[in-house]
Amino acid sequence: MVGLKSLSTVLLCGTAFFSFTGERCQSVVIPYTSVKSGDAEVLYGGYGSDLAYDAADSTYWLLTDRGPNVDGPTKESKVFLNPGFNPHIGVFKLQGDSLVRVRTVRLCEADGTPFTGLPERIGDGTTGEFAFDMSGHSLDGNRRGIDPEGLALDTDGTFWVSDEYGPYLMHFSKDGRLLRKLSPLNGGLPGRYAQRCPNRGLEGLCMRKSTGAIYGMLQSPLQGSKERVLPLFEMDRSGQVRDFDYPLSEEAQGVSAICALGDSSLLVLERDGKFPKDGKGFKRIFKVDIPACGAGLLKKRLVVDVLAACPGYDYDKIEGMAVVEDSVICISNDDDFGVTTENQRVVTKLKPDGTPDHSTLTFIPVANL
């Protein structure tokens, strides 16, 4: 594992400063608004599904997923607390030791119609889920939605989002309108990606700014696969694709985020889906080198064990990752909008210490990235 260091420097964010002096890791709460829903408090934003850092203006781009939802009475059912929720990006800046949202980018169809987060029962990209509202009414037939899980900023101000339903790779304009959508069903992505497990689709996404190459990785192995390997693609500016396999650790539930590092490497975030217990769990960041030519199985090495690097870290779902100022890894966790189910009731999602779960940015200083 690469050695950690306590930073005595600061991150410059406009005219504000965020200091790392005295601690290995430092966290800041991602702002939210609490809205009462039954016995629970729904936390909007819901940011943390992925994270991108724009060094040009020191902004943090934080992605929501499909909106507040909980498990329904059957395995395939989901209850959507806000069926009209529009997946979007919150763009934040650090001011002092707080995050401040400077704008919102809403994800829309090409004609400007806002996407929802609702799954489709039939057709391309179906996950087999039955969607209901809080009153038990079926949401089948409502306008189809997206489940965004990955975010990559392009050099021209546009951006890319990975949609877990398809899986789809979606290119958006600066103002959030859909420009094009690539999938294994239209030839834009390798055909085998259509064999993704439901709700375990295209998760990790990033762009290498020096070349414009986009990288995307599935969260879990393909359906029916007996090997713990995840498909990972590289797509260059011309649309040419190379396809790789990434070896998944036995302890990991899957991969939640990737980010480009240097000219030929990627950082890969593997995690379990549980809250740490007594500081134990599996939330680790690995490094892989992408060969200049060819494809095949990649080799990885450990960079950071998050739970060892950040004593007391107590969140379950790390889902976003970015590199800031060359020597700091920033991670975001997904709080599921602060809700879960208990005995088929919507309740507040609590951490093991009994406090509500909420999304944060955590900064991990790392030497020799």
Side-chain angles (χ1 to χ4, degrees):
M1 182 174 69
V2 175
L4 299 174
K5 61 181 179 180
S6 295
L7 293 187
S8 58
T9 58
V10 294
L11 296 183
L12 301 181
C13 303
T15 58
F17 300 87
F18 190 67
S19 174
F20 289 94
T21 56
E23 292 184 321
R24 286 175 172 246
C25 298
Q26 193 161 331
S27 296
V28 58
V29 173
I30 299 172
Y32 60 85
T33 300
S34 179
V35 177
K36 189 73 173 179
S37 178
D39 296 327
E41 299 282 344
V42 184
L43 306 184
Y44 295 95
Y47 299 112
S49 189
D50 201 12
L51 158 69
Y53 177 71
D54 188 350
D57 60 359
S58 301
T59 51
Y60 298 82
W61 292 53
L62 293 164
L63 180 69
T64 73
D65 58 18
R66 58 183 173 173
N69 69 92
V70 295
D71 293 335
T74 64
K75 181 180 179 182
E76 296 83 9
S77 64
K78 289 286 184 181
V79 176
F80 284 77
L81 280 62
N82 181 359
F85 179 82
N86 171 222
H88 60 276
I89 297 165
V91 183
F92 293 83
K93 273 200 171 188
L94 279 167
Q95 293 186 5
D97 58 357
S98 299
L99 276 174
V100 176
R101 186 171 60 185
V102 295
R103 66 182 182 278
T104 299
V105 183
R106 302 201 171 275
L107 303 183
C108 302
E109 298 271 15
D111 64 1
T113 303
F115 280 109
T116 70
L118 299 176
E120 185 168 301
R121 285 286 299 136
I122 59 175
D124 297 348
T126 180
T127 60
E129 293 173 307
F130 295 86
F132 299 91
D133 64 17
M134 290 283 286
S135 299
H137 299 131
S138 174
L139 296 171
D140 288 350
N142 285 35
R143 186 163 44 84
R144 76 181 300 172
I146 59 175
D147 187 7
E149 295 291 347
L151 174 64
L153 306 182
D154 211 326
T155 54
D156 60 359
T158 64
F159 59 91
W160 299 78
V161 169
S162 60
D163 174 14
E164 193 168 40
Y165 284 148
Y168 300 114
L169 176 61
M170 309 175 78
H171 190 195
F172 288 89
S173 66
K174 296 178 182 180
D175 61 355
R177 293 184 181 230
L178 182 64
L179 298 173
R180 58 174 170 156
K181 181 167 64 175
L182 306 176
S183 82
L185 305 173
N186 65 16
L189 299 177
R192 66 172 181 155
Y193 287 69
Q195 302 171 39
R196 59 94 177 100
C197 295
N199 283 330
R200 294 290 184 269
L202 193 57
E203 187 85 5
L205 190 69
C206 67
M207 171 175 280
R208 194 178 307 284
K209 297 295 181 66
S210 60
T211 64
I214 296 173
Y215 298 85
M217 187 187 295
L218 292 187
Q219 181 179 4
S220 298
L222 297 172
Q223 291 191 71
S225 174
K226 296 181 180 179
E227 297 181 294
R228 288 187 63 79
V229 296
L230 307 182
L232 164 68
F233 70 81
E234 175 195 74
M235 184 177 70
D236 67 18
R237 285 292 191 190
S238 71
Q240 292 296 310
V241 174
R242 289 195 294 162
D243 200 9
F244 301 92
D245 286 323
Y246 173 86
L248 181 66
S249 303
E250 289 293 333
E251 304 93 332
Q253 183 186 73
V255 161
S256 286
I258 60 177
C259 66
L261 186 67
D263 291 330
S264 61
S265 300
L266 299 178
L267 294 181
V268 180
L269 173 61
E270 299 186 28
R271 65 164 177 85
D272 56 20
K274 303 175 183 178
F275 287 107
K277 184 176 181 181
D278 299 325
K280 305 295 184 182
F282 194 87
K283 304 171 196 305
R284 298 182 181 180
I285 299 170
F286 295 86
K287 182 178 180 179
V288 294
D289 294 322
I290 305 298
C293 57
L297 184 65
L298 299 171
K299 294 182 179 181
K300 68 181 184 182
R301 65 179 180 86
L302 180 64
V303 174
V304 175
D305 181 333
V306 174
L307 299 183
C310 303
Y313 189 89
D314 59 356
Y315 299 102
D316 57 346
K317 297 180 179 179
I318 307 174
E319 297 213 349
M321 177 173 60
V323 174
V324 182
E325 303 295 332
D326 297 327
S327 59
V328 177
I329 296 175
C330 180
I331 57 175
S332 62
N333 67 291
D334 182 2
D335 63 4
D336 295 324
F337 293 85
V339 293
T340 186
T341 50
E342 185 177 284
N343 298 322
Q344 297 186 20
R345 292 170 46 246
V346 179
V347 298
T348 299
K349 182 183 175 185
L350 300 176
K351 296 185 291 185
D353 64 0
T355 60
D357 190 19
H358 55 77
S359 294
T360 63
L361 289 185
T362 297
F363 298 87
I364 308 172
V366 181
N368 303 319
L369 267 179

